[in-house]
Amino acid sequence: MRILIIDDHIDLIANIFAFFENRDYVLDAAQDASIALQLCQTNHYDIIILDWMLPKMNGIDFLRQLRTEGIYTPVIMLSAKCELEDKLHGFSVGADDYLTKPFSIHELEARILALHMRNIGKQSVLQIADLELNLLTNQVIRNQKLIRLNPSEKKILVLLMRESPNIVSKERLEFAIWRDNPPDRDLLRTHIYELRKKIDANTDIKLIKTCHKVGYQIIFDE
């Protein structure tokens, strides 16, 4: 199992590493949200352990951004905040579990194992009509043919397929790709155009729809 620890306390990271590496886990660590996001975008993790109080961007904002980008790795949030309101806030932005500090390292392991077992049972392949997207391998297949997407096209497709048949706004798609720095010109339309050519080419069933002045959706009209 591969785990990413996001915490700015070096001693805590060292203690977790010392415990879990002896149990054959593979661990990565990041001390701030920007490095953590890069790791999440380039690696597959089974579990993320996320501290609420991070420098620059806190854990809540990081988790909200992670989910907006279509990354749904299970997250255990760590925090000294123990009020019910705080826990509900964590769950509302996408946390899968919440563990208050100080905590037992054995309880952390038990929660990791329980969450991992639950996640194994979840769907790892998104499918709409004959379009399939494997979230573990990142392979996209339609009409039994492998489709190669660039990172921006993949982010768009993941969001559209996860939200299907709902409409995904232009603003949400732009944030998933460029976060708070969208380009001056409408590059999203160009990405959608290229994605359509790859997904809807050579088939009578067109899945990607434009909802004028609202956004885009993937829907199978039988």
Side-chain angles (χ1 to χ4, degrees):
M1 189 189 311
R2 189 170 187 180
I3 300 172
L4 174 62
I5 306 163
I6 309 171
D7 200 300
D8 62 330
H9 291 88
I10 297 177
D11 290 342
L12 178 61
I13 291 175
N15 288 337
I16 294 176
F17 263 71
F19 180 85
F20 283 100
E21 282 187 324
N22 290 330
R23 287 163 168 75
D24 296 324
Y25 292 84
V26 178
L27 301 177
D28 289 334
Q31 291 181 259
D32 65 68
S34 60
I35 295 174
L37 186 60
Q38 292 174 18
L39 290 171
C40 291
Q41 290 170 336
T42 57
N43 301 310
H44 168 73
Y45 294 102
D46 297 294
I47 300 287
I48 294 173
I49 301 171
L50 173 65
D51 186 31
W52 183 314
M53 301 302 293
L54 294 171
K56 299 179 182 179
M57 177 189 293
N58 64 41
I60 290 291
D61 291 338
F62 168 81
L63 182 52
R64 186 182 290 112
Q65 182 169 322
L66 196 71
R67 298 310 191 214
T68 300
E69 294 205 8
I71 300 173
Y72 291 91
T73 305
V75 170
I76 299 176
M77 178 159 279
L78 303 180
S79 177
K81 297 176 179 287
C82 58
E83 298 296 328
L84 177 60
E85 181 179 354
D86 298 317
K87 296 178 181 180
L88 294 177
H89 189 191
F91 286 122
S92 71
V93 298
D96 298 274
D97 201 352
Y98 193 105
L99 185 59
T100 56
K101 296 179 177 180
F103 58 86
S104 162
I105 195 73
H106 295 282
E107 181 180 359
L108 176 61
E109 182 182 31
R111 288 174 181 263
I112 286 172
L113 292 173
L115 187 55
H116 182 57
M117 291 304 296
R118 289 201 302 270
N119 194 56
I120 287 175
K122 292 182 179 179
Q123 185 180 18
S124 60
V125 177
L126 301 177
Q127 181 168 2
I128 299 172
D130 59 345
L131 172 64
E132 294 183 4
L133 191 159
N134 190 308
L135 298 172
L136 299 180
T137 64
N138 289 322
Q139 284 191 334
V140 179
I141 296 174
R142 186 161 193 204
N143 195 25
Q144 299 182 338
K145 295 181 179 179
L146 183 65
I147 300 171
R148 299 192 181 279
L149 303 179
N150 65 39
S152 295
E153 292 165 351
K154 178 181 174 290
K155 289 177 183 178
I156 293 171
L157 186 61
V158 169
L159 268 179
L160 292 178
M161 292 187 74
R162 281 194 178 278
E163 296 295 328
S164 178
N166 298 324
I167 299 169
V168 181
S169 70
K170 174 184 174 181
E171 292 75 20
R172 185 176 176 191
L173 289 167
E174 287 179 337
F175 184 82
I177 301 171
W178 297 289
R179 298 189 281 282
D180 292 321
N181 297 295
D184 294 333
R185 55 197 181 96
D186 191 1
L187 284 182
L188 177 62
R189 184 180 299 177
T190 302
H191 285 309
I192 293 289
Y193 174 76
E194 295 297 329
L195 185 61
R196 272 200 177 102
K197 288 200 303 183
K198 296 177 180 181
I199 297 299
D200 287 338
N202 304 316
T203 177
D204 294 331
I205 302 174
K206 309 302 181 185
L207 296 178
I208 301 177
K209 317 290 184 183
T210 300
C211 303
H212 187 57
K213 294 185 178 180
V214 180
Y216 300 90
Q217 68 181 151
I218 283 185
I219 187 169
F220 177 42
D221 297 320
E222 298 187 51

